Amino acid sequence: MTREQAVAAANAAREAQEVPAEARFASAERQYIELGEGPAEKPSVVRDVLVWLVRYVFAGGRWVELAVQDATAEVVRVRRSR
């Protein structure tokens, strides 16, 4: 997957992932993350997944980061600033 394809996949998932409409694209970086296969509160198998971390920023320096899996173009994790 190219950077442009990852950003397009993240943009397509914005509404479903509740990324604010006023948030603007800031960056896209390709890296491996550890992803648990079960509920976060229970021990589970962890695997390394190659993703594109696509970050959006908005008012007050806040951000939302969507992890788009390189192999499937699915959003596998969402992180938000506090």
Side-chain angles (χ1 to χ4, degrees):
M1 167 181 293
T2 66
R3 179 180 187 272
E4 291 75 20
Q5 290 170 320
V7 172
N11 284 336
R14 282 179 69 132
E15 186 175 337
Q17 299 301 331
E18 299 178 0
V19 176
E22 69 274 9
R24 63 176 176 76
F25 169 76
S27 65
E29 179 181 331
R30 191 172 170 197
Q31 71 179 49
Y32 281 95
I33 63 169
E34 291 182 341
L35 192 63
E37 300 213 357
E41 60 277 352
K42 294 187 177 184
S44 64
V45 174
V46 175
R47 60 189 172 100
D48 291 334
V49 179
L50 182 60
V51 298
W52 284 90
L53 298 176
V54 181
R55 183 172 283 207
Y56 298 92
V57 295
F58 53 105
R62 294 179 298 162
W63 52 266
V64 177
E65 184 180 80
L66 304 182
V68 179
Q69 187 172 356
D70 188 71
T72 64
E74 293 180 56
V75 175
V76 295
R77 184 177 77 187
V78 179
R79 293 190 332 164
R80 299 173 192 283
S81 62
R82 297 180 188 223

